[in-house]
Amino acid sequence: MRWLQVKLLVGIKMLLAFDIGNTHTVVGLFKKEKLVNHWRLASERARTEDELAVLLHHFFEHAKIDMSSIYGVCISSVVPDLTEVYQYFARRYLNYEPLIVDATIDLGMKVLYKNPAAVGADRLCNAVAGISKYGKPCIVVDFGTATTIDCIDADGNYEGGIISPGIVTSIEALHLKAAKLPRVNFEFPEKMIGQTTEESIQSGIFWGSVFLIEGFVKKLKDELGKKTVVVATGGLAKKIVEYTEVIDYVDQYLNLEGMYLIYQRNRKSRQL
């Protein structure tokens, strides 16, 4: 494919990062350490590397960015089938071998999980960026398909964390498993006491999520220390933080920033 059909910006060396989640894939472009562009795609399992190339071609062309300015590719993925698709894309269309984030590469922190290979790449990226930006000890709450809570101790070690159903996942599960329960709108109800079935479900899902986070943070600070910083990320973080005081910072693109840090850390040793 010929990427350039119009005059685009050149001379800007950038890192291309793919955060592949179960529901969405976030594409990020870094100029040095700054995230300068980002896009969100559906994580379609049937998508091919050729289809991905067409999509990205349009994104880059619209942003007036020359694909030849890319100096490397980093992939964080929790969807193995899509990992291969993005690898093939990087090799075929960019002529780069991408860095795949997992516990075997240099993360700059010890992973104390009993089976480090079982830790999701997204959780590792969040932890790396959390330490770098907000210090240690640190708790990162990621509101995604699952709500994950990751813990970094005072020595900068990744200790592990908590995985619970995400907000949208909970809404869908109730609708699918209970014949008379509708799929509700994505919003907090005006009052906690629901006076319709929809309001009752909204109260249970959304206030339940707030209380879940508050309870977990309280207990985790007993283990990590009272001064532990709490960072929220993911698409729903800004909505949840309005209703609780236990979250210190909201950083929507924490995962992408972790990918940038990890790539730079491994760039020379892996000749990327």
Side-chain angles (χ1 to χ4, degrees), residues 71 99 262-272:
Y71 68 77
L99 176 68
I262 292 169
Y263 186 90
Q264 301 306 325
R265 191 174 191 90
N266 288 270
R267 188 176 180 184
K268 290 184 178 179
S269 63
R270 291 177 172 258
Q271 298 182 335
L272 295 168

Side-chain angles (χ1 to χ4, degrees), residues 117-213:
V119 185
D122 55 340
R123 301 175 70 187
L124 296 174
C125 293
N126 282 339
V128 169
I131 296 171
S132 175
K133 296 187 70 176
Y134 303 103
K136 53 193 177 183
C138 179
I139 295 169
V140 179
V141 185
D142 191 342
F143 295 97
T145 304
T147 296
T148 61
I149 304 176
D150 295 299
C151 302
I152 302 96
D153 65 21
D155 295 322
N157 301 316
Y158 178 87
E159 287 204 353
I162 296 159
I163 301 174
S164 62
I167 293 174
V168 175
T169 302
S170 298
I171 291 172
E172 293 297 324
L174 272 179
H175 174 65
L176 291 172
K177 294 296 183 179
K180 296 186 69 175
L181 295 184
R183 183 184 288 108
V184 299
N185 292 329
F186 188 75
E187 59 187 33
F188 275 86
E190 292 184 4
K191 298 188 300 181
M192 186 173 291
I193 300 174
Q195 295 184 310
T196 66
T197 301
E198 288 81 359
E199 289 176 356
S200 299
I201 295 172
Q202 287 172 333
S203 188
I205 295 293
F206 291 102
W207 282 111
S209 297
V210 169
F211 299 146
L212 176 142
I213 296 304

